[in-house]
Amino acid sequence: MGVLQRFERRLEGVIEGAFARVFRGSVEPVEVAKALQREAADRKTISARRTLVPNTYIVELGKSDHARLAPYEKPLGAELAAMIREHAADEGWSFVGPVQVTFDEQSDLGAGMFRVRSEVLEGTVEPLPVIAQAGRPRLTISDNGTAPRELALSGNSVVIGRASDADVRLSDTGVSRRHAEVRHEGDDHVLVDLGSTNGTLVNGRPIERVRLASGDRIELGATVLVFERDRR
């Protein structure tokens, strides 16, 4: 499945069909996504070490389209930014700062019209999946056929799901927006299902709450996560 197809699939679950009603007859999110991909490609800078593309994108809309979009600006911006990061990863492009997509009203644009501009703003780049340090609990995540990645479990809890504010964000459509949570309780890590639609399996068995042991296999939709903790 390509980047745009994954974007459309994720978008379907963001506000449960609201986008289809909001954008009917006006600017379509997938067309914005294509324009953002073109903007990144047109503005890329190639050096001996890497290919850099802009990390800040502004989508300019007419008054009526901007008014329709305003209630959904944050989740749509987050999904578009995620799409750009995925596209850049596929192309081998890099950023000098976190990727952001915002929207701006322009009086010279009519209904159904938009344009995209971009900037390069230095900052702390959104980290790639963290490789866990020895001795620390971690999750190894395999989703959508991508190479497994490791995420160190730090803090008191980690929420896993499709929501833009999830700590571990998955694009799997079989995963709920806030599907499950790993909680640090004393010396243990406990996995809790957050009332997900399709349920959570640990070692092939459905669970609501379970204490995790090293090597436990967690299944959320088509995504597999393995909890690991090195011996002290």
Side-chain angles (χ1 to χ4, degrees):
M1 185 182 294
V3 171
L4 287 173
Q5 288 75 25
R6 292 197 297 270
F7 167 72
E8 289 185 281
R9 291 283 296 274
R10 289 200 305 268
L11 201 60
E12 290 174 2
V14 172
I15 309 184
E16 297 183 350
F19 284 122
R21 296 191 299 273
V22 169
F23 287 96
R24 185 179 295 120
S26 59
V27 175
E28 293 286 345
V30 71
E31 294 303 319
V32 175
K34 291 177 182 177
L36 290 170
Q37 288 187 357
R38 290 193 297 270
E39 177 73 7
D42 291 345
R43 294 285 310 280
K44 67 178 183 289
T45 302
I46 303 173
S47 68
R49 295 179 57 190
R50 56 181 178 170
T51 300
L52 292 175
V53 293
N55 60 299
T56 299
Y57 298 81
I58 301 93
V59 180
E60 297 181 342
L61 300 162
K63 183 176 181 180
S64 60
D65 287 322
H66 189 269
R68 291 190 187 97
L69 178 137
Y72 314 105
E73 180 172 354
K74 186 174 180 179
L76 179 56
E79 291 295 344
L80 287 167
M83 181 278 303
I84 293 171
R85 290 194 297 269
E86 291 180 16
H87 182 58
D90 287 350
E91 298 292 333
W93 299 339
S94 302
F95 307 103
V96 299
V99 180
Q100 295 181 325
V101 177
T102 58
F103 301 86
D104 189 30
E105 180 182 324
Q106 294 292 322
S107 60
D108 64 321
L109 292 174
M113 300 174 62
F114 72 94
R115 58 177 172 250
V116 171
R117 56 188 171 91
S118 61
E119 300 175 1
V120 176
L121 297 178
E122 293 189 13
T124 302
V125 178
E126 297 173 44
L128 293 172
V130 178
I131 301 299
Q133 301 175 355
R136 298 294 299 274
R138 61 193 181 274
L139 291 173
T140 300
I141 306 167
S142 302
D143 63 320
N144 284 334
T146 59
R149 63 190 191 275
E150 287 187 351
L151 176 75
L153 292 173
S154 58
N156 293 325
S157 70
V158 171
V159 174
I160 307 167
R162 288 189 299 108
S164 59
D165 59 350
D167 301 303
V168 178
R169 190 176 179 192
L170 304 174
S171 59
D172 186 342
T173 55
V175 173
S176 297
R177 288 174 52 76
R178 292 174 63 86
H179 194 111
E181 182 178 15
V182 179
R183 299 174 182 171
H184 189 189
E185 299 182 358
D187 292 332
D188 296 327
H189 281 79
V190 176
L191 178 67
V192 180
D193 183 271
L194 300 177
S196 65
T197 300
N198 295 322
T200 301
L201 302 180
V202 173
N203 300 326
R205 296 182 177 181
I207 64 96
E208 293 183 1
R209 175 186 174 93
V210 67
R211 181 173 66 85
L212 293 171
S214 186
D216 279 347
R217 177 187 172 93
I218 304 164
E219 295 178 63
L220 285 67
T223 301
V224 175
L225 306 91
V226 178
F227 175 78
E228 297 176 288
R229 186 170 189 170
D230 297 333
R231 295 181 179 179
R232 298 182 181 181

